[in-house]
Structures are given as C-alpha cells and as structure tokens.
C-alpha cells in the first residue's frame, strides 16, 4: 500500500477528487492515511471526516515561531509514515528539512501550466487573474514534485484548458479545476503507486509504460 498524507489549506476540492477515486476503486494500492490542514475549520477537514480519514490541524498561529510550526508539521507528517505527501491546495512554504526528508516524495498541484504564472505570489485566484491579465488563450494545471524552490520541481503531468471569451478569474479557476486538476492529481498518485514515474538526473520525469499483468 502507498501511504498518502494530504496537506490542505481550504475548501479541499482536490482532496475530494482523491478521496472519491480512493472510494470508487480507481486508486488501487493507495491508502489516504491522514489529512493535515494549516487552518482550523477549513471545509477540507469536513471532507476528510466524511470519508473516515483522520484529519488534524497544525496552525502557525498555535506556535511562537515558524521553526516551532515547522517542527510540528514535520512531526505530524512523519508520524503518519507516508510514502507520498500530496499538497492539495496547501498554501504553506514547505520547510527545506521536509523536502530533504522526502526527496521526490512530495507532489503539488498548481493551477497553471508551469513555468507560466508560478512561484512567489502565484496561488489560488491570483494565478487566474494574472493569466487573464496577460491575455493567454490557454492555461491549465501542473502536478510536480516539490523541491527546495517554489513550483520549481520536476513536472509529472500537465493538462491544458482553453480560456474562453468572457472568462472571469472565478470561471477560469472552476474550469481548470474540473477539466484539469481533479483529473491529473489522482492520475499522478496512481502513476506513482504503480511505480511508473522516474526522475532523471536532468530533473525531468519519464512516465514508463504499464507492465502487462
Ligand atoms: C487549487 O486550485 C490548487 O491548484 C491551488 O489552490 C486551489 C485549492 O483548491 N493551489 C495553488 O495555488 C498552489 N500554488 P481546493 O482546496 O478546492 O483543492
């Protein structure tokens, strides 16, 4: 079993997509063992509870320093003994110690086609506001491994979504979630569970063919 910890900050629609796949049998060999939120009372924790998955909140507000928060976050992750950590709308800078402890075992979903509209300051609706302001005709989503940088790790999957006339940041966000994020995040977990994602020394990934059963 691939033990998966999911980290969330908000509504948790990406978490829901993963939970739904786990429930309907399309994530074989995957167990969602814990959901960690950095905000108390976020709806994502309700989703975890409804699915019978342990949820807990580690909020920076509960700690005197960022280091203490980082320690608590790392402890909550490592206690769950994950094989994979999924950042599903987790708007916290991952401490370098955590990246070092889980090399190529942390993945993130980002709501643009990296390297466009990513890095510092690009999260949530801000990504879609910037894409519309630039007038792009295509945007989308990316799942990538997490490294020491921001949105700079090896890319696993991407899916493009067309921008439509009259799109608002909200309508573009929703369509990218529906048509890209909720598809490629579970798909990336599936590929990793099947041992089909290889990271080369050049920091690009290769998806290998599925072995015949
Ligand atoms: C998603 O659109 C995700 O791609 C984005 O936050 C949203 C979370 O929604 N993540 C980032 O912007 C990371 N830089 P959700 O809580 O409904 O899954």
């Amino acid at each position: 079993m691939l033990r998966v910890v999911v980290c969330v900050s908000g509504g948790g629609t990406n978490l829901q997509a993963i939970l739904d796949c786990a429930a309907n049998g399309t994530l074989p060999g995957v167990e969602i063992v814990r959901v960690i939120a950095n905000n108390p009372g976020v709806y994502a924790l309700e989703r975890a509870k409804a699915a019978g998955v342990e949820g807990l909140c580690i909020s920076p507000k509960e700690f005197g320093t960022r280091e203490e928060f980082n320690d608590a976050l790392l402890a909550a992750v490592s206690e769950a003994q994950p094989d994979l950590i999924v950042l599903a709308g987790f708007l916290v800078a991952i401490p370098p110690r955590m990246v070092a402890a889980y090399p190529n075992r942390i993945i993130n979903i980002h709501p643009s086609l990296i390297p466009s509209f990513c890095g510092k300051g690009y999260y949530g609706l801000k990504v879609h506001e910037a894409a519309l302001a630039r007038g792009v005709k295509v945007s989308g989503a990316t799942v990538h491994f997490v490294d020491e940088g921001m949105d700079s790790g090896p890319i696993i999957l991407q899916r493009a979504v067309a921008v439509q006339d009259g799109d608002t940041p909200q309508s573009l966000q929703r369509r990218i979630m529906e048509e890209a994020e909720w598809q490629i995040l579970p798909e990336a977990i599936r590929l990793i569970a099947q041992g089909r994602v290889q990271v080369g020394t050049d920091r690009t990934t290769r998806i290998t063919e599925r072995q015949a059963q």
Side-chain angles (χ1 to χ4, degrees):
M1 273 289 176
L2 188 87
R3 294 174 61 83
V4 175
V5 166
V6 185
C7 297
V8 292
S9 294
T13 64
N14 279 285
L15 167 67
Q16 191 66 58
I18 300 166
L19 292 170
D20 289 348
C21 288
N24 71 21
T26 54
L27 274 180
V30 172
E31 189 184 358
I32 315 301
V33 294
R34 177 174 278 188
V35 171
I36 299 173
N38 67 320
N39 283 317
V42 292
Y43 192 63
L45 286 174
E46 296 296 319
R47 297 180 190 272
K49 193 173 172 190
V53 175
E54 179 197 26
L56 52 99
C57 174
I58 313 281
S59 166
K61 296 191 184 102
E62 294 163 25
F63 301 92
T65 65
R66 196 71 190 180
E67 253 333 274
E68 285 167 12
F69 165 71
N70 287 346
D71 285 345
L73 177 64
L74 198 47
V77 167
S78 66
E79 192 187 61
Q81 301 187 322
D83 301 304
L84 181 70
I85 300 155
V86 177
L87 310 182
F90 190 54
L91 306 181
V92 166
I94 298 303
R97 267 186 299 139
M98 186 158 146
V99 176
Y102 299 96
N104 292 335
R105 287 202 285 148
I106 309 175
I107 65 172
N108 178 51
I109 178 92
H110 184 77
S112 74
L113 295 174
I114 288 174
S116 290
F117 311 114
C118 65
K120 196 168 161 48
Y122 287 106
Y123 58 89
L125 265 188
K126 289 179 191 291
V127 177
H128 307 293
E129 285 165 5
L132 290 177
R134 184 63 185 86
V136 296
K137 303 301 181 196
V138 173
S139 190
T142 303
V143 181
H144 63 91
F145 285 113
V146 173
D147 66 5
E148 320 68 43
M150 199 171 267
D151 301 329
S152 54
I155 291 169
I156 304 168
L157 291 175
Q158 293 188 299
R159 185 161 298 172
V161 173
V163 175
Q164 294 177 1
D165 284 349
D167 257 336
T168 62
Q170 288 80 2
S171 68
L172 183 59
Q173 177 184 53
R174 183 73 192 179
R175 204 161 59 258
I176 288 174
M177 283 177 156
E178 287 175 355
E179 295 180 10
E181 296 185 43
W182 302 343
Q183 318 292 327
I184 65 173
L185 186 55
E187 176 65 13
I189 297 170
R190 194 175 300 126
L191 291 169
I192 290 168
Q194 292 168 348
R196 294 171 55 197
V197 182
Q198 293 176 1
V199 183
T201 49
D202 61 358
R203 296 168 44 78
T204 65
T205 66
R206 198 166 68 90
I207 312 293
T208 57
E209 288 301 312
R210 190 165 192 181
Q211 300 298 312
Q213 298 290 318

